[in-house]
């Protein structure tokens, strides 16, 4: 399993407590459209991801991340 796959699996696990609609999470799952998260949920989730990976995701970065796959890519980039 690659580091990126491992990151994706961890991100997916972090999504579960916030996945109130029971959406099947894939690389293409969107936070806004598919999961229907409001801004407070996004903030709580970002804090959980930052804690899990010991990284900081800037507001500019957050604005560009729309899918779970994009988030996994961003985390992989920040960890290196």
């Amino acid at each position: 399993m690659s580091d990126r796959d491992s990151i994706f699996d961890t991100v997916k696990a972090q999504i579960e407590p916030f996945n109130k609609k029971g959406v099947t999470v894939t690389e293409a799952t969107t936070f806004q459209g598919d999961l229907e998260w409001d801004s407070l949920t996004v903030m709580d989730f970002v804090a959980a991801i930052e804690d899990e990976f010991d990284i900081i995701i800037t507001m500019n970065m957050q604005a560009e991340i729309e899918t779970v796959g994009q988030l996994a890519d961003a985390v992989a980039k920040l960890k290196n």
Side-chain angles (χ1 to χ4, degrees):
M1 180 186 287
S2 75
D3 204 34
R4 168 60 170 68
D5 290 339
S6 173
I7 289 169
F8 176 76
D9 289 343
T10 303
V11 166
K12 195 171 157 181
Q14 289 287 327
I15 287 171
E16 282 313 307
F18 299 96
N19 189 359
K20 304 296 185 217
K21 297 189 142 304
V23 172
T24 301
V25 178
T26 67
E27 294 269 344
T29 301
T30 62
F31 297 104
Q32 195 94 38
D34 297 325
L35 296 170
E36 297 180 15
W37 287 358
D38 60 20
S39 57
L40 184 59
T41 303
V42 170
M43 285 176 46
D44 288 345
F45 175 69
V46 168
I49 290 295
E50 288 176 334
D51 288 348
E52 176 70 31
F53 292 102
D54 196 27
I55 58 172
I56 301 292
I57 301 173
T58 66
M59 293 301 263
N60 288 346
M61 247 183 159
Q62 287 179 41
E64 295 173 7
I65 297 171
E66 295 178 5
T67 68
V68 176
Q70 288 173 330
L71 176 60
D73 290 340
V75 169
K77 189 175 171 184
L78 287 168
K79 284 185 63 66
N80 291 334

